[in-house]
Every structure is written in C-alpha cells, then in structure tokens.
Amino acid sequence: MGQWVSPDAIAALLSNPKPDSLTDIPEIIVQITKLEPKGKSYGFDANDGKMKIKAIFNSRLSSEIISGNIQNLGLIRILDYTVNEIPSKSENYLIITKCEVVSPALAMEIKDEKNEELGEKKEESGIILKPKQEHEIKGEVKKESSGILLKPKQEMVAKSAAQIVNEQHRNMAPTARMAMTRRVHPLVSLNPYQGNWTIKVRVTSKGNMRAYKNARGEGCVFNVELTDEDGTQIQATMFNEAARKFYDKFQLGKVYYISKGTLRVANKQFRTVQNDYEMTLNENSEVEEASNEAAFIPETKFNFVPIDQLGPCVNSTELVDVVGIVQSVSPTMSIRRKSNNEIVPKRDITIADETRKTVVVSLWNDLATDLGQELLDLADKSPVVAIKSLKVGDFQGVSLSTLGRSIVQINPDIPESKKLRCWYDSEGKETSMASVGSGLSPSTKSGGRSMYSDRVSISHMTSNPSLGGDKPAFFSIRAYISFIKPDQSMWYRACKACNKKVTEGVGGGYWCEGCQKNDAECSLRYIMVVKVSDASGEGWVSAFNEEAEKIIGCSADELDKLKSEEEGSSYQLKLKEATWNPHLFRVSVAQNEYNNEKRQRITVRAVAPVDFAAESRFLLEDISKMKGSQ
C-alpha cells in the first residue's frame, strides 16, 4: 500500500518552530517511529523519509494512543505544534498538541534513498513518495494498484484565510487582535523550554501584596492562581515592579490573555495547585483583559481524599479536596485574628462519606456568611458538598479549614456526588458515624488509621530524629504508660461552646476570644505529656482531651477535684492507677521548632485497650509473614 508523507516535513517544522497562528501551518504528514511512554505522555521519532526529530504528544492525546487510533509506524497530519530547543542537549524537540490520523501502522519505516528518486514508484517497499504539486486538491484520492495517494490541498484563487484574517485584524481592538494573531496554548502544553506563548485564563485566586526582606534587599510580591478552559491550573508570581504593575490589573474572576512570562519547576513545598511548573511574570510581560471575548467558566477538577485517609495529611503543606454529605451546620461565629485583631466570620459544618467517618470543615469569610447560610437552609435535606483546596489541621485530631482559594460546590453534577447521594439515601442515613479524629477500634480494617497498620516499636521513632521532617508520619504502637508527671499543667480552661482557651473576664466569668462572649463557667480539657515504654525503649508523647480521658480514666474536671482535696492522695493514686496498663496507640511524629532548634514531637491521635484475642491473631500473622520471607 502506498501512502504519503510530506516531503521535507521536518525541515518545514524547523523553519517555523513556533507558528503564530494555525493558518501559518502547511499540511505536514509524518510517520511515527519508536513510539514509547514518556511519563504521562508518549514520545516518538517523527520521520519524513529524509530526516527525523524527537517528538512528544501532548498528554491529552494519550487516550488516542491507548485506544489504538494512533499507532507506531502510522501516519499523522500535524495540526498544531511547537518546536523547542533543549539547551542542555543542543537538540530540538517537537511538541504536538493537535493532530489527526492519516493511516494506521505501515508495514515498515519509510526511508528515502536519494532525493532524485522522490516520486518514483518503489515496488519492493510498497511506498510511493512524491513532492507536493501546487494545483492538486486536498483529499483527492488516486486509486492505483500500488495503493492510495493522499495529495495536498490546492491554493485557492479566492481570498485566502490569511487575507481574511488581515482584513478583520485591522478593525479589531488590541485584545481581540491578540486572540486572532496569537495562538492560545492550553496550560498543560507549557514547559520551561518553550519560547513565545499566549494563554487565555481566568483568575481563580488572588493573594495579597506582601513585603519581604532578605539578604538581597527588600521588595514586594504577590501571586495569582490561573485556570484555563480545560480546568488546568498554574500559579503565577510577580515581584517588585511587576507586582506593582499587575496587582490592580488582575481582578478575581476575570479572563485575561497573558504572554511573555517564564516557567520553572514548581517548589512542591510551597505550591498551591497541582502543576509541575510555576509561572513568573516580569514588568515586560503582557496581560490583556479579554473584555470582548466570550467568557468561560473553568471546569473544576477535584482529586478527592476519603475522610478516613485524611490522617497522614495533618499539618502538611499539601491541600486536599473532599466530598461529603452535610450532617450539621453551625451558626456563624465571629473570630478575632491574633495577627491584626480583625474580626472575621466563621461557620463549622460536619460532613460524612462512605467510609462512615465525619470531619468538621471550618468555612471562613464570605464562604461562612453566604454559602454557609445556603447550607444552613438546606441542612434538613442533607446536601452533598465538594470542596477544593482545604488545609488539614490537627484540632480535635483531624479538622479541615477553607482558604482564600478554596472552592465549594453544593450538589455538584459529578459522578462522585451522585454515587455518594445514592449510598446515603439507600443506607448511609441509617448508619452510625464516627469522627475521623476520635480513637478507632483495634479491629478497624480501614488501613490508614488502623491500630494494627504501620506497627513499629518506640525505638524506631526515637532513634530517628529526622522522622516527620517533611510532613507528619503516622504509626501504631503497643506500649505501657510508665510515668505521668504529677506536677505538670495537665489541663487548660476551655470554652464550653467551642473548646478554645478562655481567660478570666473583667468583672468575673471567663472570656472566649473565639465566641467573643463572657460565660460564668468553663470546662477543663486535658493537654498532658506522658512517658510510654515497650521492650525496645521509652519516649514522651503528648495527649489531648479525648485520648487523655481514656488513659487517666476520668475527665479533667474530675481529676481537678481530686487534686484540690487537702491531702491530694486521691489525685496521686489516680495517676498511679493509670500507669503500667497496656494500650494500643495511633501516633503522629512531626518536627517542631523551638528556640531555632528542631525537636521531635510524638502526639497520640487515638488510643484503645488491648484486645488480646485480636493482638494474638496479629502476632500470628506477623510470624507467618516472617516464615514466608525466609
């Protein structure tokens, strides 16, 4: 079978590495050779019979390769591309963002022996290579015994597309001209080696202008999060002159054309969006509002984390997305920030999912007042909420909090929401739920936070001072409480409504900064340190109220009454009774900085008594695994 490849196709690509518009791209048909996976995409050698160039498909075309539409040794027509020069390798790289299949896999690789033989029929190879004819019509098919010839399109006598564009171009506003003359690149196609590009994006988050001071001097900086029509996000940062130039120009929710920026590999420790790269705009970058263009609402892409798997994300820099059924909605509270004494509204909602776990999500600012009120009105209908970009904290074990960039959708039209709704209506509403931050039963088989998963000895944690450096590490241990300091501050005075610390009010009572009110009474909540021991060694762990109550065997208010007795012997006896009892602990290990020195902190996240039957089964399974590995 004979097939066409465009003569000198690679040379044509190299001569116009970054076409300004799609009308500048001639018909280019190449053969795919050496097709192989490259990360999330596929790389190959583009072949025109005379030359080859390293190439890679845009990741959005991966489905075409997996389905078999695009095949090795097949032919494709290139519709949109960029040729980048890789400085470190002194070679060019072809990035294909759009193409169409011309032919499935051929019998062999196309090879051209001599230039003068182009256009001659090669019976032994079954391939016909001919140079383009200026007046042949695109799509004309000439059937011969040797196969099919695909011929290039004819130059039309009437006005060309380029002429029409030029006529329209003269009557357009600058932003519209930018849209017509500059090819808009999807964010997913950008990389640091790319030259000129233009993107069309919506500002979905805008940070505040911040001042900084370092060894190189002082300055200002702010960043925005940009989202294109496909839902791909990227963070853009501006410093000093660029920050002052673009701060007022960027408005939340508006659509812009942006060009002349630079990209670099994102610092995963500080990135706020899921993108391997981050963008920097300088004072020479171009930003034009797409005021006369059709606006678009970016598709919100979620990466949901089940509620019972939030534990390892506690105090991590990574943000999470969750979807859940709203179980309860609190009234709006006014919280005074310590940093600037500003009063901000807050509202807590409790959500649950199919893992039968619940978690409290704190909504702040407009999300608390506007969207929170909508949720309160719908609370009796148990709506589904999908929330993007949440911070995971350790308040009450595990808690979630919205940020300025967080997105909340009520009853979203996504598969995860429909699945959760079906589960809740069929069985979930009758199922008992437990807080993800509370202690779990030793027989829990939910994996991430089971008392029998990640079982280690105490020495494994204490002998590794760098453990938990990047993010908290979670383990399970079986240990004894070996010592409780009787003279430590074992509790704090807490608000009965929100459990936050209170201070003595003016004129009596207790003042809660969180609730902004004075109450006549308060409660005591544990915050204590105990020593735990096992066969490998010992270590100090911190325990908070719910976990400490299980260790001591009574509430902090009850223990305070025992301590206030004249002799105090009952208090000492209660602490002694709590020691040398075996427990199963789920703990987190993190690094805290104190006086410019990093220290390891082990915190009890869950505690349960030892179920000796379950413990025996666990040890027998462990022994079987050890025997099997020998």
Side-chain angles (χ1 to χ4, degrees), residues 541-560:
V541 301
S542 301
F544 296 100
N545 195 63
E546 286 77 9
E547 291 73 31
E549 284 184 354
K550 295 178 182 180
I551 293 172
I552 302 297
C554 66
S555 67
D557 288 302
E558 293 170 337
L559 191 61
D560 181 53

Side-chain angles (χ1 to χ4, degrees), residues 528-576:
M528 57 188 292
V529 177
V530 300
K531 183 185 284 186
V532 294
S533 304
D534 67 5
S536 69
E538 58 187 15
W540 292 95
V541 301
S542 301
F544 296 100
N545 195 63
E546 286 77 9
E547 291 73 31
E549 284 184 354
K550 295 178 182 180
I551 293 172
I552 302 297
C554 66
S555 67
D557 288 302
E558 293 170 337
L559 191 61
D560 181 53
K561 290 179 182 178
L562 296 177
K563 188 177 183 180
S564 62
E565 294 178 358
E566 290 185 7
E567 297 181 359
S569 57
S570 299
Y571 169 73
Q572 295 282 354
L573 181 62
K574 191 66 178 177
L575 295 184
K576 187 175 181 180

Side-chain angles (χ1 to χ4, degrees), residues 184-447:
V184 173
H185 289 68
L187 285 178
V188 72
S189 69
L190 300 187
N191 63 77
Y193 305 111
Q194 206 159 337
N196 296 328
W197 46 258
T198 298
I199 56 174
K200 182 182 179 183
V201 289
R202 182 186 291 273
V203 177
T204 50
S205 176
K206 179 182 177 182
N208 296 321
M209 183 77 79
R210 309 186 305 275
Y212 68 86
K213 184 177 181 180
N214 56 30
R216 292 179 290 181
E218 300 179 2
C220 58
V221 60
F222 90 100
N223 55 56
V224 291
E225 289 176 10
L226 309 172
T227 308
D228 69 4
E229 200 165 8
D230 297 328
T232 306
Q233 293 183 295
I234 194 168
Q235 178 176 289
T237 304
M238 286 138 280
F239 293 90
N240 304 323
E241 289 301 321
R244 288 185 280 269
K245 177 180 178 181
F246 294 121
Y247 184 77
D248 292 330
K249 191 173 189 67
F250 278 121
Q251 298 297 318
L252 192 64
K254 290 189 175 181
V255 179
Y256 298 86
Y257 287 100
I258 301 176
S259 61
K260 297 185 179 179
T262 58
L263 279 84
R264 64 178 181 180
V265 177
N267 186 334
K268 293 185 178 181
Q269 186 177 356
F270 301 108
R271 72 177 181 180
T272 58
V273 298
Q274 292 297 319
N275 199 313
D276 292 335
Y277 303 114
E278 59 188 8
M279 184 182 298
T280 302
L281 301 179
N282 57 41
E283 57 270 25
N284 297 319
S285 299
E286 294 182 358
V287 177
E288 292 290 341
E289 183 181 347
S291 54
N292 297 325
E293 288 288 307
F296 64 90
I297 300 175
E299 176 190 356
T300 302
K301 293 184 177 179
F302 293 96
N303 184 21
F304 293 121
V305 177
I307 292 178
D308 70 340
Q309 295 179 22
L310 290 172
C313 304
V314 169
N315 295 329
S316 169
T317 56
E318 293 284 338
L319 304 180
V320 301
D321 307 340
V322 297
V323 60
I325 295 283
V326 176
Q327 300 282 282
S328 64
V329 183
S330 77
T332 304
M333 299 173 282
S334 296
I335 306 297
R336 186 183 298 274
R337 285 178 174 163
K338 292 182 180 179
S339 58
N340 55 10
N341 280 333
E342 180 186 0
I343 296 177
V344 294
K346 173 194 175 188
R347 190 193 299 264
D348 288 338
I349 65 172
T350 302
I351 63 172
D353 67 4
E354 291 171 286
T355 64
R356 295 176 173 80
K357 296 296 177 185
T358 64
V359 67
V360 175
V361 182
S362 296
L363 307 177
W364 296 89
N365 298 312
D366 292 343
L367 289 178
T369 54
D370 300 338
L371 187 134
Q373 184 60 46
E374 185 178 350
L375 286 174
L376 185 62
D377 296 339
L378 295 172
D380 58 337
K381 298 179 181 178
S382 300
V384 176
V385 292
I387 311 178
K388 185 172 183 63
S389 300
L390 287 166
K391 177 72 175 174
V392 186
D394 59 4
F395 182 66
Q396 295 184 348
V398 179
S399 60
L400 299 174
S401 184
T402 60
L403 304 172
R405 66 181 66 91
S406 300
I407 298 173
V408 183
Q409 294 183 1
I410 302 176
N411 294 322
D413 186 17
I414 56 176
E416 294 88 349
S417 173
K418 296 174 182 177
K419 180 182 178 184
L420 189 60
R421 168 56 62 192
C422 290
W423 168 80
Y424 186 76
D425 290 343
S426 62
E427 58 175 295
K429 63 174 65 176
E430 306 297 334
T431 303
S432 61
M433 306 285 184
S435 171
V436 68
S438 63
L440 301 181
S441 166
S443 59
T444 300
K445 303 299 182 184
S446 58

